[in-house]
Amino acid sequence: PLAPAAETQLVSPPLVAVRPPGFDAAGTAISPNAGFAPAANVAAAPAGFVRFLPTNGGDPLEVPAARVSGGQSVILGRSPEGGAVLNDKTVSRRHARLWLDPANNLNVVDLGSSGGTFKGAMRIKSATYSDGDEIRFGSVMYRLSLPARVPGNPGGWSLAGVDGENLKIDIRIVPKRDRATGNGIDTLWSIGRNDESSDIVISGSSISSSHARLRYRQHSGLEISDVGSSNGTFVDNRQIGKDYVSLANAREVRFGDFRFTIRPV
C-alpha cells in the first residue's frame, strides 16, 4: 500500500530561497501564512548527522539531520535552548539558524551575532553551504560534513509554472522516508481543483476536481497518471491516460492549461 501524501507546497510570490518555514531573514517568527499557502505534512527526515569538524582545534559538533529537515530548524549558539550548543566566547547566545533544504544543502541565517558567521573568508547574513565547505561562527572554524543521500533516493522534485494571472507556482514533491534508513517509501499524491480531496490543489477552470495522480515507488521513481480529467494530462506534449507514466526523463507536465517544468531538487 502507498503511504499518505508527503510534502507538497504551493507558493505564490515572493518565493524565498534561503529562509526556514515560519521565520523571517532575521530569525524572527512570522505568521505561517505570510506569503506561503498552507503545506501538507512534511516528509520524514533523512538519517545521519550534520557534522561540523574543527579545523583550528576544539571538539566536533553534531546535529541530527532529523532536527533540521522537513521544515524544522535549530539555533546554534551558547544558549542550550537553541538545539545546537557552541560554548565559545566569540559566539552569541543566539548566533545562527540552520536547516537542510530538499537538495541536501545546509542553509544558514546569521541572527545578528556580534562575532559574525562566515563562508570561507566572507562574512554572511545568509548563505547555502555544501558538503566540505568551510564555515565559521565567531572565531570557531569548521569544515562541514553533510549526511550522504542514499543512491537513487531523490530529495524530491519541483514543478514550476505560472497561473492565469502570471503569478509563479512552485509545487514541491518529496516522498516520505523510512526514518531508520532514510530510504524513500511508496507515496501517492492526488491533484485537482477540490481542496478537500486533493493533496495538490491547482485552481483553474481547466482543472478537474480530481485531475491526476502522482506516485513515487522505490524501484520505478516518480510516475503520473490521469484520472479521467476533462482537459487532460500531458507529459512533454503527449496526452496520457489512466496508466502510470514515468517522469524520469520528462521536462514538462501539463494539467489542462497549466504547464509546469519538472526537475529534481
Side-chain angles (χ1 to χ4, degrees):
L2 293 171
E7 175 185 315
T8 59
Q9 189 174 43
L10 182 61
V11 181
S12 297
L15 178 61
V16 181
V18 184
R19 186 173 297 176
F23 296 88
D24 65 13
T28 304
I30 60 174
S31 166
N33 297 318
F36 296 88
N41 292 333
V42 298
F49 292 87
V50 176
R51 291 184 169 92
F52 299 87
L53 307 176
T55 61
N56 57 355
D59 297 322
L61 176 66
E62 291 187 344
V63 179
R67 296 284 305 277
V68 288
S69 304
Q72 299 184 87
S73 64
V74 300
I75 294 176
L76 178 143
R78 296 199 324 273
S79 172
E81 299 176 357
V85 179
L86 180 52
N87 194 11
D88 184 273
K89 64 182 180 181
T90 65
V91 174
S92 298
R93 287 182 57 80
R94 292 170 50 90
H95 195 103
R97 187 175 294 277
L98 318 174
W99 74 98
L100 286 173
D101 63 23
N104 207 45
N105 296 313
L106 183 70
N107 290 261
V108 179
V109 172
D110 186 90
L111 301 179
S113 67
S114 56
T117 302
F118 298 80
K119 184 174 184 179
M122 181 179 297
R123 186 166 182 166
I124 60 97
K125 290 184 177 179
S126 65
T128 301
Y129 295 78
S130 301
D131 186 63
D133 283 349
E134 286 189 346
I135 183 170
R136 177 158 62 93
F137 305 101
S139 64
V140 186
M141 176 77 78
Y142 294 106
R143 187 168 299 279
L144 186 63
S145 176
L146 295 175
R149 269 195 191 162
V150 178
N153 203 28
W157 295 265
S158 168
L159 295 177
V162 294
D163 65 11
E165 298 179 353
N166 209 35
L167 295 176
K168 185 174 181 179
I169 301 175
D170 189 13
I171 300 171
R172 303 294 172 89
I173 305 296
V174 180
K176 277 192 171 291
R177 299 190 185 281
D178 183 283
R179 288 189 180 274
T181 66
N183 291 329
I185 59 176
D186 293 356
T187 313
L188 178 69
W189 302 266
S190 59
I191 302 170
R193 198 176 67 242
N194 190 325
D195 59 4
E196 293 184 358
S197 60
S198 301
D199 301 305
I200 302 171
V201 179
I202 305 175
S203 299
S205 60
S206 66
I207 306 297
S208 297
S209 294
S210 296
H211 196 105
R213 286 192 182 125
L214 286 167
R215 74 178 181 187
Y216 170 77
R217 296 199 297 178
Q218 295 182 54
H219 303 297
S220 55
L222 190 65
E223 301 174 320
I224 190 170
S225 74
D226 188 87
V227 292
S229 67
S230 300
N231 295 295
T233 301
F234 301 78
V235 176
D236 292 333
N237 292 319
R238 181 172 64 88
Q239 187 168 7
I240 65 170
K242 293 185 177 181
D243 292 332
Y244 278 95
V245 172
S246 173
L247 292 174
N249 298 310
R251 296 184 177 181
E252 182 184 86
V253 178
R254 176 159 63 91
F255 307 103
D257 296 333
F258 288 76
R259 294 179 181 271
F260 298 89
T261 56
I262 181 170
R263 64 179 181 86
V265 295

